[in-house]
Amino acid sequence: MVIGCLFFQLHLCAQDLEQKVSIEADAVVLEVLLQEVGERYNLSFSYGGHLPGLEQKLSIRAEKMPLNQFLSLLLAKVALTYKVIGGYVVLRKLEPQTQVVLPEQAGRGAGRLPRSYRDQSVQQDTVQRMVRIAPTVGFQVYVPEWSMPTRIILEEAQPPVRHRQASIRIGPVFSKDFMQLDLQSSYADKQQVDAGLSYSIGSVCWWNIREHLALEWLFLYRQKVFTLRYGLETGVDPLGLPLMTEAVLAYLDIPINIHVRLYQFKQIAVGGIVGLYGSHLLEKGERTWMDDGRMFPATGMLVSTLSRFLWGMQAGIGFHYDLNSRVSFYLSPVYQHNLNKFKKGTQQIRLQEFVFRTGFRFSL
């Protein structure tokens, strides 16, 4: 009965390795990629922690390729191979007598042989017994009892896989906004403007143009709150003078940024951010408090002269952490420099902001 269970387990694993798979990965850590392949195709991988290459980021694309060929191509990139033992896919280093010639190494002069040996070929079943890798260009196999190495040409070698350079990610974003307001008033009294609670919520679309370059669109609903204090001198008896006006504003904000990756260590990446943004005023409201305790919910004294459209430049630093191959967490402190006036008229206000954005990105 035990022998039957072992035979069933080995036979099941062999069938799993023959199934056609379609997998695409862009700069994914090998250990993370193996875990996802194991979960998706019901495989159990076994390897030691000292095995080299597990933390290396790899890019690969396979469409309807046998799983055993995909694993061989993937592991060959870090000089590893595998063997099925007891229903487990056991990873190990390539044997010293086997040198894999990858597609990107072809034509560089490595492993060149005399012309008399370059035209030799071996049947496909012999190749599979010696080295179980099919999708690469060729192999340099050193057989101990031969005095010269033999070039093995695979009869059904597949063309080199082109790695996808661009990928799209989307996700939610939240930011805490800190406003710096500069007031210039034509009135003689001492007026003061104070920033209130401001925040943004929305979504982000991230497109990897190249390995170290990405384009980012953000669609944000932003709330800005500020208070204008008039600084009027009031006596003991109330005179019905305004003390302060609070404005609550809602904007649609659309920043477009370029991200340049400057440093990366394992799943952590740091990059620079530069871009432009535009904001359109959606809603506005204000409340004015008087020295006699009254409050007017809407007067139009302040918000009527606000700019309906704001635009400017922004720059910052982006910190990214890859939770897995499909989800990443990021934090971006960004400084926004507004190029037009926030408020016009006799009370002119200029606006600069420092925002902390955070959120998640999910691969499509």
Side-chain angles (χ1 to χ4, degrees), residues 40-327:
R40 183 183 301 181
Y41 299 106
N42 195 24
L43 296 180
S44 297
F45 291 95
S46 177
Y47 50 86
H50 62 281
L51 204 61
L54 293 177
E55 297 181 353
Q56 184 172 340
K57 285 195 173 184
L58 302 177
S59 298
I60 192 170
R61 181 181 181 183
E63 294 183 1
K64 297 182 180 179
M65 179 186 294
L67 183 54
N68 55 358
Q69 295 183 7
F70 169 78
L71 291 176
S72 300
L73 176 61
L74 176 66
L75 297 175
K77 291 177 176 288
V78 290
L80 297 178
T81 184
Y82 74 93
K83 185 176 182 181
V84 179
I85 301 177
Y88 290 89
V89 180
V90 181
L91 307 187
R92 57 184 183 179
K93 298 181 181 179
L94 283 173
E95 297 295 335
Q97 67 269 18
T98 302
Q99 176 186 354
V100 179
V101 181
L102 295 175
E104 56 266 23
Q105 297 174 339
R108 297 183 182 177
R112 291 184 179 270
L113 297 174
R115 183 176 299 275
S116 59
Y117 288 91
R118 296 179 188 175
D119 298 331
Q120 298 185 21
S121 61
V122 180
Q123 294 182 357
Q124 182 70 19
D125 58 346
T126 305
V127 175
Q128 290 181 353
R129 286 199 300 270
M130 298 177 66
V131 183
R132 294 187 57 83
I133 302 180
T136 55
V137 173
F139 304 93
Q140 190 81 13
V141 178
Y142 296 91
V143 183
E145 54 266 28
W146 293 357
S147 59
M148 291 292 294
T150 300
R151 182 76 166 181
I152 297 179
I153 306 299
L154 299 180
E155 298 178 355
E156 299 180 0
Q158 300 183 6
V161 176
R162 293 185 178 180
H163 300 159
R164 190 184 68 164
Q165 296 293 337
S167 62
I168 298 178
R169 294 188 173 191
I170 60 173
V173 61
F174 172 82
S175 72
K176 179 66 177 69
D177 307 335
F178 298 91
M179 296 192 300
Q180 180 181 353
L181 302 172
D182 182 19
L183 173 64
Q184 295 179 355
S185 177
S186 301
Y187 296 110
D189 51 4
K190 298 179 181 180
Q191 297 185 357
Q192 180 182 351
V193 61
D194 299 322
L197 176 63
S198 301
Y199 65 89
S200 305
I201 57 173
S203 61
V204 59
C205 180
W206 175 278
W207 179 31
N208 286 323
I209 304 175
R210 295 184 180 179
E211 183 178 359
H212 299 281
L213 189 65
L215 185 65
E216 177 189 55
W217 291 275
L218 293 107
F219 302 90
L220 304 174
Y221 174 85
R222 305 192 65 182
Q223 177 178 286
K224 303 178 188 292
V225 179
F226 71 94
T227 302
L228 178 63
R229 303 181 186 276
Y230 297 103
L232 298 176
E233 296 182 0
T234 58
V236 179
D237 298 327
L239 302 176
L241 299 176
L243 295 179
M244 62 180 182
T245 298
E246 181 186 65
V248 180
L249 312 172
Y251 282 85
L252 173 63
D253 197 39
I254 304 180
I256 301 178
N257 301 318
I258 293 291
H259 284 246
V260 180
R261 190 171 64 189
L262 303 176
Y263 173 77
Q264 182 164 357
F265 177 74
K266 296 184 179 180
Q267 290 92 348
I268 301 176
V270 182
I273 303 172
V274 62
L276 302 173
Y277 74 94
S279 298
H280 178 68
L281 182 61
L282 300 177
E283 299 177 359
K284 56 185 179 179
E286 68 177 54
R287 297 179 297 177
T288 300
W289 283 266
M290 313 299 289
D291 63 348
D292 57 5
R294 293 178 299 165
M295 186 272 292
F296 296 94
T299 62
M301 296 174 56
L302 187 60
V303 298
S304 59
T305 55
L306 291 175
S307 299
R308 298 193 61 85
F309 181 77
L310 301 174
W311 66 282
M313 301 181 298
Q314 56 185 1
I317 301 176
F319 301 91
H320 307 264
Y321 179 78
D322 293 332
L323 301 177
N324 53 50
S325 62
R326 304 187 66 87
V327 183

Side-chain angles (χ1 to χ4, degrees), residues 327-346:
V327 183
S328 63
F329 171 79
Y330 70 95
L331 173 66
S332 302
V334 177
Y335 174 76
Q336 295 191 164
H337 180 75
N338 191 44
L339 295 178
N340 62 335
K341 294 180 180 179
F342 180 51
K343 183 182 182 301
K344 299 173 292 184
T346 55

